[in-house]
Every structure is written in structure tokens, then in C-alpha cells.
Amino acid sequence: MGEFTVHRVRFFHYMPSGICAMAFNRRTERLAVARTDGSVELYSRTDHFFQEKVVPGRQQRSIQALCWVGKRLFGAGLSGEIAEFDLDNLRLKFSQDAYGGPIWSIVCNPQGTHLAAGCEDGTVKLFEILEDQIRFERNMGGQKGRIISLAWHSSGTKIAAGMIDMIKVFDLDSGELRSRGSRMQQSQECVVWSVLFLSDIIVSGDSAGKVKMWDVNTGTLIKNHQVTEWDVLTLSVSQDETSLFAGTSEGTVVQFQLLDVVLGQEEKEWVRTRTFKNHTHDVIALAEADTVIISGGMDTQLVVRPLLDKLDFKSRDSSLLKILFPQRSLVSCAKKAGLLLFQYPTHLELWRLGDTEGHGPPGCILPVSRNPEKLLHLKIKGEDHVCCSAVAPCGEWIAYSTTSGIRLYRLQRDNKNVSITKVPKLPKVLRHAHQLCFSPDSSHLYGTTSSAVHVVALTSAGCKFEHSLKPNSCVEPFGNESQEISDGKFLASANSNSEIHIYNMHKLKAHCTVPVYRSGVSAMGIHPETNNLVIVHADHQIFEFSIEQMQYTDWSRRVQKEGLHHVWLERDTPVINVTFNPQNPNHVILHDSYMFCIIDQSLPLPDRKSQFHNQLTLKSLPEAERLKHSHAFKECKLYQPLLCVDMLENQSLVVVERPLLDITTNLPAPVRQKKFAT
Amino acid sequence: MVESSEVRVVRCGGSRINVAAPVISVDSRFLLCASGDLVKVFSTSTEEWVHVLQGHTNVVTGITLNPANQLQVYSSSADGTVRLWDFTDGILIKTFVIGYPIATLLVSNKHEGILFLVVPAKDNSNSECLQLVAAHVPKTLEQEVEVRELSSVLPNISPNPRAVGFGREGEYIASAEGLKLIVYFFRDQKPYRFNLSKSTKKGAKNTFTCVSCHPKDDCVATGHEDGKIRLWRNFNQKKEYTYTTLHWHHSVVNTLCFTPEGTTLLSGGIESVLVQWQYDRNSKYILPRLGGSITHISVSADGSLFTTSHSDNKITVIQSNLKVSAVIQGLVKGEAVHTDLVIDPRSKALVLNGKPGHLQFYSLQRDKQLYNLDIVQQEYIYQEGLDQYEVVKAAFDAHGSCLATVEERGKKLSDTEITLKFWDYNETAQRYTLTCQKVFCAVWISTLNILYFSSFVLNTTVMTPHDNRITSMCFFPTAETTMVVTTARDGCFKAWLLGQESDTEKQGTDGPSWSCDFVGRYHDLQPTNCCFSADGSLLAVSFQEVITIWNPETWELLTTLCQPPGNIKDLCFGRLSCSRYLLATTTKNMLCCWNLLTCSLEWSTSIAVTLLKADPLSENMAVFTLQKEQTDLFVFKPCEPRPLFTQNALCVGEVQRAIFVPREEPLDNCDESSLWLNRSQLYCLTENMDLLAFTTKIEDDSLISRKLVCNLTLIVFEKHIKRVSCSIFCLVTINPVCHLLPTQAVIDDSVAVTPFYLLLGKHRQREQEMCGLPVTEQQGRAQLPQGSVAVREVRSRVPWKCLVMVYSTRSRVVLLLIFVCVCVCVCVCVLFYTFSCYTRRLMSCPQRPSYATCL
């Protein structure tokens, strides 16, 4: 496996933000998740909840509700504006003020023609959805009291609105108030955080911790379930309306099911059945996707909980999935200079790694001769958050991009002083990049937009736009993904449709494309010596593509033929990064959030029955037998959770960790709960 | 009536009443519970035992009301029969012979004429494998019916009776075993199986412990080992079944029960807390501190009364507003009796370990616990692995005015904590209380027994009296000096004396206290046992192989006796005419007898002695020996070579504890073999914690005749202590059916005979059989190991059976006439008694009226 000097970095204070809204699109099987910093993430359910796209956030933007209309995603928040997200260019398409104060909730009707927004002023505003905008149609209600939650009946003629102490039902045809729920609690104010409009009843979740079922026509209470002492914040119902979920402030998700009172007879009743506790903090958003229930809340993690009674057999889908860390790299590493660039939403930090002169046996902690040092704290101009950043391998250039622009800085380091100058006159074409990257000799900057890869030559005097590369057969717009570069000759770029295009940078033209695989590309890398492209997909399949021969290598064919070990395929976090060991060309280093792995391509692949994590058994074996039992995959789980693993030029490994405890201590305190024996 | 005075071994009550779930009659007046071979009928309001359904020859395992007639009850037993009783009259109606030992009995409204029984699986001999069978009861007029039609319903049933239950009026049956729940629908004849995972993630222990089905909805509640309750629904589907989890119990849920309307679910576990769950709401009410862990819960038909059975042999009757209304307490049987069996000289109650940290005072005559004395005086909290204080020794002085107890905890020697406590009998604060500040005096017509329920007050607490475990403790036998000697494994014995009044006056405390008077050692050997001679002039302390004799006044070592090999186990002085002898048993199976006048070994014999007990009122000694895993008893006098009485094969296993209980009045029996029982009665406790007693025939018969003549009625005086003018009222209950004894012969196999049966007019044939019984039975039972005893037993029982017939065959009118006469007598007596009491009180106002002299 090899010996490395490991830089164990724990000074990247990455802090994810809480989840505040969620929407699941059943047609495209995409889940949209809004976070408190205003960013929106898109996950693909078919691809094991692989994070496909991220729309970066913006200061002062808060999203209270998300809503899918066909393939279009709308969001609204306390700024009082309804916005549509451009999912190809990963930014806002437009936003329109609803003129009703902060918006707490938006829903679209089942036909997909109208949007309803619940506003602070107590009105429900109806918008017609047009081709690329929305148009105000009419107002409903208009008394005092904000509208917290909205639900549209499946017939499209009625809207239920949850308010403080009240639920109102509006009839769309007549535009009048049909009925209202009585005051819900005598003693104190009760906020209806969430309403659902089922075919015959209205379900509400309120701040008194109750889930109540109401008759639509008479507005009378049918059933009352005390779920928690705290608030019921969100409700979600399955498509066939037999199962209902409620998320509470305690961090629990409670399931209700419509069950036969007596088996085989007509009479049915909503019965509280299961309780899932996977969150430490409030569950603010819930989404039901056929066989799974997805919940998110203040504790920033997205929990995908399978409903085992709806699954036929055990597979990767039947295990609990927690998504806590971003599935892209927020750290870029200057391999030659030994610098790390950390990307925060509103600033960048540049650190120089420490040094050591000590030597010791494997596993020991070496004395540090020079402490790591923070060189730079770069605040972002404007309100938009950073979407990508990069540092050149020589450490002289830093570039970052927001949705509004790209900035390039030149960094000059003397012995002690660090000075930074902004490079002016960046080419106009390169307004916004999804991914930025420097060539290995730091002479070029490559930036991808949704349609092309732009090449900028860097000189000490400034920068110069060189070329725009477009794929040979680009018909539809080009999502972004990672791009990787070899020794300056080849550049590979993948988009969200998992198409990979390879360009020859010497000739500045497209070289070839890699056959498309069904799962998204989670990481890839070009080997600096052999020019082989190693691609890892979200379902953990590994391919190796020889760029020069324009075909898959023998090793890749062998992997596909023999199949990967089931332990590897059942891993729940996708691989984030692929690097190579310059000392040993056979070594490929991969990492995800909980392990890094070195694949030795010279060793045989593990067969199905053999033990996958065999390092300990190997250690106990004598030297001679070790080779016989060893296989290509060598996992290391010593460092967890990982944000970045990279090799420096001087044969040392950089490991950026973010301990879970640091994240949880930074979260606000959860609601107090009595625990047994405390 | 033939005068024979054979000695019989009887099981004298104290059997478990928590084996099967009790049943409450429809009118909520009676509570039926299985107790050993009997079914006892208690009154739910007075806690008193009304009568007994006797007939089973082995342990009763289940009782349930007959769904067709709510005044009848089915009982199943390990003897392979199910019997149907009329419990208001106590009549056996029918006997169904199944032929297999029955573990549980279930009936359902829907399945009329079918009994559901849990019996051992037929095909394989593995007795642990049980199955549920349906037995079709044939409709015949015969009294004893053999049931041959058994059809298997479900295999692999858990031996736990709480793990099977009917749902929705018998539509389906649910059974849980291990990690599997099976729901069997009778209509489709289709079982559905649900498995839980074995994983112990997050402390989960999913093993099922009990099942209860909702009476109206399709919902099955199951209890689990980790304290969770799951409510299963949609269980007619393989995959889309679902369950709700309720979690309050922190460890095993022992039992679950839905109320008849299905509005609440009751659960009980090891915490001894009854939890009442609201079925469709997420709220619960709890009733804590019920005593031992809850083993069964049952609910009356109208849902107004609940009963909980507890592991400390107790049944609590609880009203539906969660208020305890009655407590029926049997003899508490823990895992072991650490304190020996001790007799309280004052109340004549048997004293032994009760609830954890308590001593129980148990009346042998009434088969009822009188009260518990809290020795440890700490709140008992159940927790697994927690080291609790245990009362290990208890001793009374000659008058019962002083009690010494030893409690210890800590399994390892290093953390052992020992406390020695001395208690004084408090005359002024004498309590006439049982549980609720009332006194129930059982007044018999011929003899007047008055039970004083005394209270002991803590006098002195000695922390760490010895550095190691205390092995024995004894009081000075006479009343002149109050002295206690303790021996311990730390190598010394200590004598403790009650201080003089004058000493304590100086200190200003409120009474004399105990202090250590003398510490004795002998060659660093460990003392094992100690014993005073009857007059208190000698103290014998055994140090491993050596017995040392001390003068308790001067603490001078008088002599040593030694008979190797083997350490001394039991030690006792002879009494009365044999007081010159000292007897000891050794671990090497020797029984030695020394003559103290000559200081030489008088005789010794090699015998596997497990226990040696001396009668305090006579010269007799009892020795229990263990041979071939059976215990034999010898009663002998130290001066005579021939044993007075021998009982072979008393019981299987070792007899751990035994005691001679002095009689109230000595019997004037002259039969040689039972002469030794004249002064006192021998009780012993077997390995299975059965309390056995040795009685003579005469005694039983006299008791029976007394009962038959007057049909003993219980007169209950209720007296409120605080009221000066004691209001006494009497309550006379008359039952036209004669009661049988609470005791029942252990080695007895005769056919039950009831008046009802006799009324059927079949008695003649039976009578003839019984007259011819001595011959045939003798032949039939000659092969039995304890044949001789059994034969004697049978022979001795025949006459009084005839007597029963004589009485029974006469019409009830005659009996009633007698009863009326008796009633009048009783009333007159009571009136006279109250009048005399009252006049005495007026005249002298005595501190404590002596009831005995009143009559």
C-alpha cells in the first residue's frame, strides 16, 4: 500500500447549513432541497440520491417553500418574491414580487397551471404559470393573520390554508371562503405549521404538537393525535393517501397509516404506527418518494429512510442513508506549493501546510517543525455565494466564480509577506463558471460554462483569452461537472447527463467522448503518465478509459467482467475525488466522506466470497502468504469524515477532516427532552 | 370411625398463587386463583378465602370461566385433566381426561364446546416442544369423560401461558415464541408469521414475552424483552403489516391485557408498575410500587376490576381508577430462604425472608401472611445487576420480645457490607393491623386463637459486627439474660449483651442498647455454628472440626470435643432428660453424639445428614438425610438407639429448612409412631420451596369433624384501634357445602368425592368399590416406591370419606338446621363475649383484654 507522510488537516471549519424546504418531483424523480443559506441542491433518486446540481446561495435569500411545476422549480421566501431557478445554468431565472409581504408557502395545482402563494398579509395570491414567467391572477382572503401553510385539493378547486389558530378552505370557482376550522386551542396561540388536503379530509400539524384530521365540508374535528409536546412542523402524504408522515421539533418522524379497523371490512382509521428518530433537531421538511421517506431539518443532514414494507428484497436501497457532507470538493490543493484553498460560502481561505523533519515508525505522530499558517482570507464581493474556486499548482493564482462573475487573483509570496493583486480584463465570455481548473504547469485557466470550456492563458503580465472549446456533437445544453486535466495535453469534462468529453489542449479541439453510463459521474482523473482517464460513477462503478487509444483499458474490462465486490458497491457515499500516486503508477487513490481507498491495479480483484476489508487479516499472516491473499482494494478508515484527500509532489498525503462533533456543537441547542435515567 | 394415628405428610399451604392468571367472576365478587393443586376462591372485597375447589392431583396450570355458563369455571392441570366446577358452591361438575400434561387452557365464545389446550407435542419426545390443540368436548351426562378428539392447531408454542391469546371474539389466535409471532385465522385456516430481527442494536432485545389481542379491532399487542410494546395491525398480509411501538418499561414486559371494551391496554413488567395505556391516544397512567414484579394481569368482565399477580406470591385487586382495593398475600417465596425458619414465640407465626429486605410473619394455621417487617429500611429498586441488601439471619429470644437480624450485601468479600440489628417488641405501639388498620381475629368455636400482630422497633444497629460473613446467630435460651452470640468467618465469635438501664440513663438515650460483651477465638479456626444448652449454662461453638464448650457467664473454655474428619455442620444440645448430650453433624456425613458428663463420644453413625433439628419442647431430634436424591426423615431421642419415627422418600431433593413448631395445646395421643408430634409439629421446606407438615390422623379428623359439625364459620371482629369504645360486629357466613381441609396429603391419590356427585345417585357403586379398596389398591400400588405409605394413607382416608357421605347424603335441610343452631350459639357467644369485654373494660380498663379468659 505504501507509506506516506500524512498532513491531517482539521482547520477547515466547514459548516453545512440547515435544510428549510424540500420538494420531490415524481416525474423526473428529482429531489430539490433548499438550505438556509439560500442554496438549492438537486438529488437524483434513481441514482442513490446523488447530488447532481447545486444552485449557489445568496445573502438575504431565504427559501420557505419549493414547488415543482413539471420540470420547472419555483421557490419563494420571506423576501416576498417568487423565483424560478434555472437548473441548466444553476442560477435564478427570474424573480417576481408577490406584493403581499413575506411568503410562507407556495403550492401549485395538480394540473400545473397555477401557483398559489400564502402571504403575510393574509391573502392567498394566485399566479398563472406562463412559458417563462408567472402572471398574477387574483387574490383570495385578505383578512388579518398570516397564511403559514397551503394545500391544494387534487381536484384543483379547493385550497386549504393553515393560519394561526385557524384553517380556511377557499373555493376557487366562486373565489369565496367555504369553511373554516374553529379555534384550535383555547389557552394559547396555535400555529398551523402544515396542512394537507386529502381527498376527503384535511390534515393539519400545529404548534401544540397535534396532528388533527378535519372534515372538509363541516370543518369539524374527526380525530386528534397528540404526537409530541413540541411542534409538528411538517406533514407529507403518500400518493395513494394511505400513509402520512409528520415531522416534529423533537427530530422524530411519525408515520400514520390508514388501516382497516377490522380486517377485510370497509371501515378504516388513521392509526399512528412507526416513529423514526434520525435527527437531533427540528425536522422542517419531509418528502415521500414511494419507497422512502426523506427528511431534513436544522441538524443539516438529509436522511433517506426506506419503508421496508414496500421493498421487495434487500439491496442498497433498503438501508438508511444520511447525507451530511457535500458531494463535491470544497478544497483545492496546490500540489507543488503545498497550499490549501478552502471554499466557504462567503469567503476563501488559503493555508500553507506545516512541515516536519521527523521520521518514525508507521502510525506515530511526527513533531511539527513549522506550523500550518493561514496566508489569506479573501472576502467575496457582492451578495452571491461562491460556486467554485481553484488554486494553481504553483500557488501563484487563485480564481473563484459566483453566479455573477469570475475573479482571478495573482498571489505573490515573499518570505513573510503575502500580497494579492486582482487580475483585470477577464474575457467577457467567461462570466460565470461551473468549474474552474488550472493546468498542471499553471499556465492556463480553464473554466466551464453550460455550453463550452473556455481557455485563458496566464502570464505574469495578465491574462489572455485563448479559445472556447465546444463538444463535437453538443445538442442540448451542457450541465456542469468536474473536469480533469493531465499533463496539459488532455482535458476531460463531464456534464450532469454523465457525458464525458475529452479535448486535446495542444491542438485545442475536441478529442473524443467516452461512452455514456447510466449513473452520474461522481469523480474522475487523468493519470499523468499513462493518460488513462479513471471515472467513478455514483453507483461506485469504476471505469478506466485510455485516451490515446480511445477505448477502455484491459483493467477496466476486467473490472466489468468480474464485477466489483458487493461491499464496495453497497457504500452509501459517492467517491469525491480521484488522484494518483506519482511514485507508483499502478496506484489510484479514491476517497469518499468516510474512507479513502488505494486501488493497486497490479493486484487481482477481490472475488465475491473473499473478505473485502482484509488489512487486519493480512497483517496476521506471514509475509509469504500475504501476496496470495491480498487484493486490489485497500481501504483506510483512519480519518473520518473526509472532505479532501490529495497527494502532494513530495510524496505526502493531505487529509482534510471535519469531525462530526465540531458540526454538532455549532448547531443551536435542540429542544429539551426528558431521557430515561437522566 | 377407626382410631388410627398414622403420621401423614401434608402440603400445608403456602403454595404459589401466581402461577396462572386469576379469574374474576362476572359479578366481581369472587376471585379464583390456582394455588398448587387447588383452585382457591377468594372474596374480592374482604380478601378472605371463601372456599377451595379440590380435586386435581397435580399443579393447576390454568383457569378460565366457562363461556356458556359464567358461574362455572374450567381448570386445567399438569395431571392431564380439565375439570369443570361450579365455583359458587364448590362442586366438581365434570372431569375431562386429556391424558397429556396441560400447560395452558384457553376457551373462546365463538368456539363452543372446544377447549384449546397447550400440550407437549406428540410426535417427538422432546418435552420442551409444545403445541396448541383443540379438544372437542363430548356432550354426555357422565361425570368423567375421556376426550380423544384432539386436533392440532399450531405447533411450537411458548411454554409461557401469556404468549397465546384469542383475538376479536375468537376469529384468530395469536401466539408468540422467541422472535416469531404467528396469527392463525380460524376461518381461512391460515397462519401468518412475522419475524423480528435478532439484532441487539441500540439495546434492542426483540424476543417476544407476551401477547394480548384487542377484543374488537384487529390489533395484537406484544410485549418484548427490552420493555417495548408493539401494536401489530394489518397482519393478514405478508409484507404490509405494520406496528406501533409503545415504550415505557425499561426491562421485560411480563404481561399485557386489554380491557373488555378495548379502550385501554394494561401492561406490567419487572418494575412492579401497572401501566394503563389509552388505546387510541398516546397517553398513559401508571400505578407504581406494587411490590414484586407483575406476572399476570386479568380484568373482570365489566372492566371495573383489575388483578395483578406478583412474583412475591401476591394478588392485588385494583379498581379501574387505579386504586388498590385488596391484597391477597401468600407465603413469599424468594429464590432461597437465607434466614432459617424461625417461629415468633409471641404470635406463633413462621418468620422467614419475605419481600426483598423484609421478614415476613406467616400464620401457619390460616395460610396467610400476617405482615412484613422492614429490616433493611431502604426503598427497593429493581435493577439488573444491582447488589441488594439481603436479610440472612434472624433470631428471636425466648419470649419474642427481642429480635436480632443480620443483613448483608456484596458478592465479593472485599465489598461485603454486614449490619447486625436488634429490634425490641414494642408493647405500647402494639398494632392490631394487617394492612389497613383493622384487625381480623379468627375466632374458633372450640378454641379461641388470638393473634397478636406485633411491631418491632429498631433498638441498635451495629455496622460491620464482624469482618466477614456471619455464619450463625443464637439467643440465650432463658429469659434472665438477653444475650446473642454470633459467629463469623473472620475467626471469632462475639457475645452481645443488652445494656443496663443505669448505663443508658447517663447517656440520655431513650432505652438500653446492645453492645459487644465478649470476643472469643480458638486457634484462628473459623467458627461455623453455635448453640446454647437448654438452661443456658453452656455454649457450644464449633470451630471447623472442633467443638468448644464455653461457660457463658465467665467466658471460660471448659472443654473441646473433636471427631475428625469433617467440619461440623449442625450442632445442638439435647433437651430435658437428654440434656447431657450434644449432637453434631459433620460434612463427612457423620452424626455424632457426645456425653457432656464424661466428655466422650457416646455414639456416632455414618449417615448423609443434611439437616439436624431439635424439638424445643421434648427430647426429640429430627434428622433429614439425602440418599439417591431423595430425602428421608428420622426422628429419635439421643438416649435411645431406635428411631421413633422413620419416613422414607419424603420428597425429591434436599430438605433445606425445617422447624418444630410448638403446639398450642399438646395432643394426648398415645400411638407410638406419632407420639413425637404431641408437643410440637414438624414443618420442612423442600428444594421446590414447598412447605410440608407432619400431622397425625387424629388431628386432621378432629379438624374435619369440627368443620363438619359446625361448618366452621369465620367470625371477624373489626376493631378500630383509635376508637376507645371498640365497636365489634360479627359476620357469619354459612356455606351449606362442607369445606375440606386447606391441607392435602402429598402422597395421596384417592378419587375426589363431592356431594354433587353423590346426589347423582351413583354413590352406591362407588362405595362398594371403596370398601373393597384396601385389597385392590394394595395390590395395585405395591410397585410404588413409597407403597407402604400410600397404602396406609388410603386406608386411613377411607373412614372419613364414609363419614362425608353420611353427612352428605342426608338432606341439606338437616345440615341447615344444625347451622342455624350453631349460628344462634355463635351469636350468643359473641354477645356474651362483647358484654363481658365491655363490662371488664368499664370495671378495670385493662391494658390488653385477655380474650382467652373471656370465654
Side-chain angles (χ1 to χ4, degrees), chain A residues 645-656:
Chain A
V645 174
D646 215 338
M647 283 292 290
L648 294 186
E649 294 242 306
N650 59 355
Q651 191 63 14
S652 59
L653 199 67
V654 180
V655 170
V656 181

Side-chain angles (χ1 to χ4, degrees), chain A residues 382-399:
Chain A
E383 288 195 326
D384 291 322
H385 291 171
V386 184
C387 74
C388 60
S389 62
V391 61
C394 64
E396 283 185 14
W397 304 89
I398 294 175

Side-chain angles (χ1 to χ4, degrees), chain A residues 339-563:
Chain A
L339 299 177
L340 289 178
L341 181 74
F342 300 142
Q343 177 192 322
Y344 294 89
T346 55
H347 68 272
L348 301 175
E349 276 181 16
L350 189 69
W351 287 72
R352 189 173 63 205
L353 287 166
D355 249 340
T356 181
E357 284 152 7
H359 294 281
C364 76
I365 298 166
L366 300 174
V368 178
S369 61
R370 192 189 61 188
N371 278 326
E373 192 185 355
K374 184 173 172 182
L375 298 177
L376 194 68
H377 183 102
L378 186 64
K379 277 204 169 172
I380 304 298
K381 289 271 186 312
E383 288 195 326
D384 291 322
H385 291 171
V386 184
C387 74
C388 60
S389 62
V391 61
C394 64
E396 283 185 14
W397 304 89
I398 294 175
Y400 74 84
S401 166
T402 65
T403 47
S404 52
I406 294 178
R407 276 160 198 264
L408 179 67
Y409 293 91
R410 176 144 197 205
L411 192 76
Q412 273 152 339
R413 285 188 296 150
D414 299 333
N415 284 337
K416 285 178 182 174
N417 298 327
V418 178
S419 61
I420 183 164
T421 45
K422 188 187 167 211
V423 180
K425 289 183 200 162
L426 266 156
K428 288 259 162 61
V429 241
L430 203 58
R431 286 263 322 274
H432 158 66
H434 296 152
Q435 197 70 258
L436 287 168
C437 139
F438 287 93
S439 65
D441 56 356
S442 309
S443 62
H444 289 85
L445 168 71
Y446 308 107
T448 54
T449 61
S450 47
S451 57
V453 179
H454 304 284
V455 184
V456 178
L458 305 169
T459 52
S460 53
C463 64
K464 197 184 120 205
F465 176 68
E466 271 197 351
H467 197 72
S468 275
L469 294 165
K470 289 192 179 171
N472 283 342
S473 56
C474 181
V475 186
E476 51 183 295
F478 198 81
N480 77 304
E481 196 31 66
S482 48
Q483 55 172 357
E484 282 300 330
I485 196 139
S486 69
D487 52 348
K489 195 176 174 196
F490 293 106
L491 178 106
S493 152
N495 66 8
S496 58
N497 300 329
S498 57
E499 294 163 355
I500 299 169
H501 300 277
I502 298 167
Y503 307 95
N504 189 326
M505 300 321 285
H506 290 179
K507 297 178 185 166
L508 287 175
K509 67 174 196 182
H511 182 69
C512 63
T513 53
V514 179
V516 176
Y517 183 67
R518 62 171 186 273
S519 176
V521 179
S522 71
M524 58 185 187
I526 300 175
H527 199 287
E529 289 171 30
T530 59
N531 274 341
N532 288 343
L533 176 70
V534 175
I535 310 153
V536 186
H537 290 276
D539 62 354
H540 290 91
Q541 287 292 348
I542 303 171
F543 294 94
E544 193 183 34
F545 185 80
S546 168
I547 294 175
E548 280 161 359
Q549 291 165 10
M550 290 197 249
Q551 62 179 12
Y552 286 118
T553 60
D554 291 342
W555 186 83
S556 175
R557 286 171 205 277
R558 209 169 78 221
V559 168
Q560 291 310 309
K561 205 172 137 195
E562 292 181 20

Side-chain angles (χ1 to χ4, degrees), chain B residues 456-470:
Chain B
F456 284 89
V457 178
L458 187 62
N459 178 304
T460 311
T461 306
V462 183
M463 303 299 288
T464 325
H466 285 272
D467 297 335
N468 205 332
R469 277 186 193 169
I470 291 178

Side-chain angles (χ1 to χ4, degrees), chain A residues 223-227 257 259-265 269 271-274 309-312 676, chain B residues 168 185 202 216-219 233-236 239-245 248 250 280-282:
Chain A
K223 193 130 181 149
N224 182 3
H225 291 274
Q226 180 81 43
V227 170
Q257 278 176 287
L259 297 175
D260 297 4
V261 173
V262 173
L263 290 174
Q265 288 185 17
E269 202 173 38
V271 178
R272 180 186 167 163
T273 54
R274 269 165 279 204
D309 55 340
K310 295 195 175 155
L311 290 170
D312 287 323
F676 177 66
Chain B
R168 204 193 344 136
F185 285 85
K202 294 181 192 161
K216 292 190 176 145
D217 297 356
D218 279 339
C219 170
R233 290 186 181 87
N234 249 14
F235 41 74
N236 62 349
K239 216 168 55 148
E240 293 200 349
Y241 66 90
T242 180
Y243 55 78
T244 316
T245 310
W248 181 89
H250 70 74
D280 50 357
R281 263 167 288 156
N282 191 20

Side-chain angles (χ1 to χ4, degrees), chain B residues 649-675:
Chain B
L650 174 66
C651 65
V652 177
E654 192 179 317
V655 166
Q656 288 166 325
R657 309 284 174 191
I659 192 164
F660 278 98
V661 181
R663 285 184 192 279
E664 293 284 314
E665 47 181 321
L667 295 178
D668 45 351
N669 189 355
C670 43
D671 191 271
E672 206 170 295
S673 66
S674 57
L675 205 58

